Amino acid sequence: MERLLYGVAYYDEYMPYERLEKDVEMMKRAGINLVRIAESTWSTLEPQDNVFDFTHIDRVLEAMGRAGISVIVGTPTYAIPSWMEKKHPDILAETKNGRGIYGARQIMDITNPHYLFYAERVIRRLVAHVAEYPCVIGYQVDNETKHYGTSCARVQAEFVEYLKEKFEGDEERMNAAFGFNYWSNAIHSWEDFPDVRGTINGSLGGEFEKFQRSLVTRFLAWQAKLVRAGKREDQFITHNFDFGWKGHSYGVQPDVDHFAAARCLDKAGCDIYHPSQDGLTGSEIAFCGDLTRGLKKDNYLVLETEAQGFPEWEPYAGQLRLQAFSHLASGADCVEYWHWHSLHNACETYWRGLLSHDLEENETYREAAAVGADFARLSDRLLHLKKENRIAIMVSNEALTGLKWFPMANGLTYNDVVRWLYDGLYEQNFECDIIHEDEEDLGRYRLLLVPALYCAPESTLRRLKAYTEQGGHLLATFKSAFCDENMKVYCDRQPHLLTDCFGVSYQHFTVPQNVGLSRPGEPEEEPAQARDFMECLVPEEDTETLLSYVHPNWGRYSAATAHAFGAGRACYLGCMFEKRLLKKLLLRITEEAGVLPNPGSEGFPVIVRSGENRRGNRIFYFFNYSGTEQRAVCPEGSYTELLGGKALSGGDEITLPAWGFAVLEQNR
């Protein structure tokens, strides 16, 4: 990893005619120095049981080796061959909807012993076959792995053993923790444990989903161990995590605990897909990158992102280059497109690659070539960007699951609240880390944001309290500290254990209807509205009201508060509201926490990202996510603009063309 990696997924197996040498030649001209292969083609590698054919693998590795292009080999285990399902139909995952029908990818039971037997065999054979190729620099284990809803009788039996360990074999402890006396769900003998697929109990359902996420962690660790046994010492292991989906990469993945699953990897990797054209804001690139960087607290690999993608994602001129550098600005050391060419058949025919269906040069390819030239020229200055952020957002799979079982109104989700806070920071050029709720080193952050931490153990709440008392600044939202780790509501005033920290409590909550918001002493020109969910906050005497409800009934309650606690300060947002008002509150809260935004821009559409390169020099990225020319200002100091070589000093104006950007390196 001594250069920026710029690559494509490449499938010689999918090509409509012989053109490997032509593809390699075009890759070289575009500055492509990496391809990923093999992860989608098990039925080609093993056309029949224990009959292996590595023809396509060898062809590509030999061609890439001659061209000086590095290769990541993917284990081909996320899409099974049809012969396997015919021999062992039980390999297909049995879910709450029954057993699947062969055809799609990712429909297998990742715990099935027949599947694991075949997976181990193909992994061992593949790694042994490719490990000594000098061009192979690493391995991707599986592909966007999840648990696929697997819940057959064998999985449920293992889940019961998991519960026995959790509750030390005591059914009555489980009954009490999960509230099983409701609707006669109490279990007084483990032999009477019912099919979990029918449960109406959120505690049990949430625990089963947590267990299913642990199956993903175990499966990836198992694959990594197999690969590690056969790989060269200088080869790395990675995985391409994906994210919660809302038509594009959006938030925390509900079916994987990324932080736990990443422990087995040498390098974290991810797949990031996002709107483009007028919808390109850079926020999805930044959020997903910040989350992935946090998995290993290190630089990461973008193993898939769009070149052309869906028809509605066809990039405007300049956007492909803007997107590539946006990944680097979050700490990526690799940008790789899915994929090299557009497919001519099958279900992803219109998820287009770098080349269109004619396989000829096009505008997107020519722009990619400009990116490749930039990466090659600037690699030494932009590789391994390091960040020391003073703001963090704490995320939780358990809270996400809890708010799926007990949803808020109007389709508002946990990830909506996470992205509400994140985007409010991002659009004002505040950078942050994204951390797991088990993170112990909270003291490194001046400001900690906790979105909708619906269920959490008391140990987490005590850490948040201690963090604030010792001088930290804490901001939490509605639906936090409401339930314990078993999704059982705490039976005192909310937020549990933190009422003295926030200086506020509440007993009532509702869905707002025509409820306005006001800032005391600061009348709004355009009155904001509470929306989707609201808590009726009752502040203590020494608690400041940041926002009040404007309503004939709810007007006696606060909507947002701030409170000094120990050496720190705690703010609580009791409802959802417009981003413009959130941004005003965040400006005040960050100022109180002593955290400044990146300089040079007042905010979106000009986004500033920064870090330190491996030479120890400060790097500033200035991005214009708009179709009109924008202006920015050079930060204090002396800089070189790396794209054009221009010298800049503090206060100099920076002109950013439509969908353009600038990269500044501080001079020593």
Side-chain angles (χ1 to χ4, degrees), residues 21 45-46 77 127 227 230 235 254 282 483 497 526 547 595 598 604:
E21 293 304 324
L45 296 176
E46 192 177 4
T77 47
V127 174
V227 172
Q235 294 168 329
C483 299
L497 276 190
E526 300 177 54
L547 294 175
V595 182
N598 283 328
F604 188 83

Side-chain angles (χ1 to χ4, degrees), residues 204-219:
L204 179 61
E207 194 69 32
F208 185 58
E209 291 189 42
K210 182 178 180 180
F211 170 74
Q212 288 176 308
R213 288 192 291 271
S214 76
L215 300 179
V216 179
T217 300
R218 184 175 73 188
F219 177 69

Side-chain angles (χ1 to χ4, degrees), residues 5-8 32-36 69-72 137 334 336:
L5 295 175
Y6 189 50
V8 292
I32 298 297
N33 60 22
L34 173 72
V35 298
R36 187 193 68 185
I69 296 174
S70 298
V71 180
I72 294 174
I137 62 171
C334 167
E336 188 171 42

